[in-house]
Amino acid sequence: MSKEAIEILKRKGVTFLHPDSVYIGAEVVLENFAGEGVVIFPHCRIMGDRTVIGPFVELGREGPVTIENCRVGRGVKLRGGYFRESVFLPGVEIGGCAQVREGCILEEQARCAHSVGLKQTILFPFVTLGSLINFCDCLMAGGTDRENHSEVGSSYIHFNFTPRGDKATPSLIGDVPRGVMLREKPIFLGGQGGIVGPLRIEYGVVVAAGTILRRDVLEQNVKILPVRQPTSQFGKTSRGTYSLERIFAKNVNYIANLFALKFWYRYVREPFFLKSSYDRILFNGALETLEGAIEERKKRLRDFLFLVSKREVGYSESVVSPLDSTDFSAYADKIDKVFSDFHESEEMIVLKEEFLHVFSDHLNKDKMDYVTTIKSIPFSVAQLGTQWLKTVVDGLWHLASKAVPVLNL
């Protein structure tokens, strides 16, 4: 299949620098290759019937690339590594030795240097990651362009697996309602540091190199310096204690922001994906990935509630004693139902329609460039859009609070 497929793709305009070393799976839909300007370097492997390659994509400049069921947008450069079941919107660049696994969406002009590991990660436009980074299970926004962007320094890690054995640890670095407007101050996470998820970090925060964040940073425009940890004594191994309210709240808030982003894609981004069949498939892939991200977070929260119900770990002092007799596994179905049955309220619909009405006046119907259009809308219009998306987040939060009243969120 590979040789025949390569000849077909050559006729479409794809450049193979060493065609005999390239593998293309029999399941790959060749019609989903744009052809124009695509360059594939030696020793690349392309697999999956959902793989889409847009125009002017470059694969494998720094080393072999394996792609499996990825949607790759216009001008994306994947220079080396393994990429699976993720979406790369136009202008994304990733260095060699990457491992980008399922559930990732890298939006326009997001960049990663070499040896970056991602899974269930969403990067908003311009967000830049340095080298030797593990940054799974988080969403990061902030910044206005490639000169003024949120950045993560080299040798950084988002700690997303606990001694309890759960991954109810998603961190929100920025947020969706404000972040999508591309006008918030960037966030800087200095190298040789990390985040112990789940955490929230506000816009404009600067975290010094070598800092491990263990608490939220909810004040904008502050600097965080390393804190010397007291020497601890060796003792009996423990699975640890936790604040149930805090972990539950962080997970609900994260899922609510994913819902807001899904609404943003469905109602605002879609017109920007109508240029070609490749763009349409790219858009559908992004929506599908967002749905998968929501399901992943629901699963992790559900698993956590079942773990709590086993009483295998202790409660922190902030958790009141009546919770000790609560069967939290019984709340798992209630929380699932909140998210599954969620519908727009009248307030959400009114704000959405008001925003879309004024937003349509600013659409560049000739170029239809997403980033340029969003940055060009007046501040008052952006505020209206943020207000709409915030009602989505707040609405889900309210419903989740009612479903689990014992936590008194």
Side-chain angles (χ1 to χ4, degrees), residues 172-174 178 184-189 199-207 213 215-224 250:
L172 199 58
I173 307 158
R178 291 172 293 166
E184 295 297 323
K185 289 186 177 180
I187 299 165
F188 181 83
L189 305 178
L199 286 186
R200 287 181 57 198
I201 301 176
E202 260 293 351
Y203 292 109
V205 170
V206 175
V207 181
L213 284 180
R215 295 184 179 181
D216 294 343
V217 184
L218 300 181
E219 183 180 351
Q220 295 190 41
N221 309 319
V222 298
K223 295 180 180 179
I224 307 296
K250 291 291 185 294

Side-chain angles (χ1 to χ4, degrees), residues 74 90 108 269-276 279 362-374 376:
R74 183 184 186 90
E108 288 83 354
R269 266 191 174 269
E270 186 171 10
F272 298 93
F273 289 90
L274 300 178
K275 289 182 179 180
S276 68
D279 291 324
H362 299 277
L363 283 175
N364 185 334
K365 293 184 170 59
D366 295 325
K367 292 186 178 180
M368 294 296 285
D369 176 77
Y370 170 74
V371 170
T372 302
T373 303
I374 296 301
S376 70

Side-chain angles (χ1 to χ4, degrees), residues 233-250:
Q233 300 296 319
F234 292 101
K236 183 180 178 181
T237 300
S238 171
R239 299 289 282 180
T241 61
Y242 57 89
S243 169
L244 178 57
E245 302 102 321
R246 172 182 172 274
I247 294 173
F248 183 81
K250 291 291 185 294

Side-chain angles (χ1 to χ4, degrees), residues 343-389:
H343 297 289
E344 296 174 272
S345 68
E346 184 176 345
E347 180 187 11
M348 294 175 201
I349 293 172
V350 169
L351 285 171
K352 176 187 69 179
E353 291 180 349
E354 185 178 353
F355 169 73
L356 293 178
H357 175 72
V358 294
F359 177 73
S360 64
D361 295 335
H362 299 277
L363 283 175
N364 185 334
K365 293 184 170 59
D366 295 325
K367 292 186 178 180
M368 294 296 285
D369 176 77
Y370 170 74
V371 170
T372 302
T373 303
I374 296 301
K375 291 179 65 175
S376 70
I377 62 176
F379 180 71
S380 59
V381 177
Q383 278 190 313
L384 182 60
T386 294
Q387 185 182 359
W388 159 46
L389 295 176

Side-chain angles (χ1 to χ4, degrees), residues 110-127:
R111 292 176 292 177
C112 304
H114 70 83
S115 304
V116 170
L118 307 177
K119 182 182 179 184
Q120 298 294 333
T121 300
I122 298 175
L123 303 182
F124 275 21
F126 318 120
V127 173

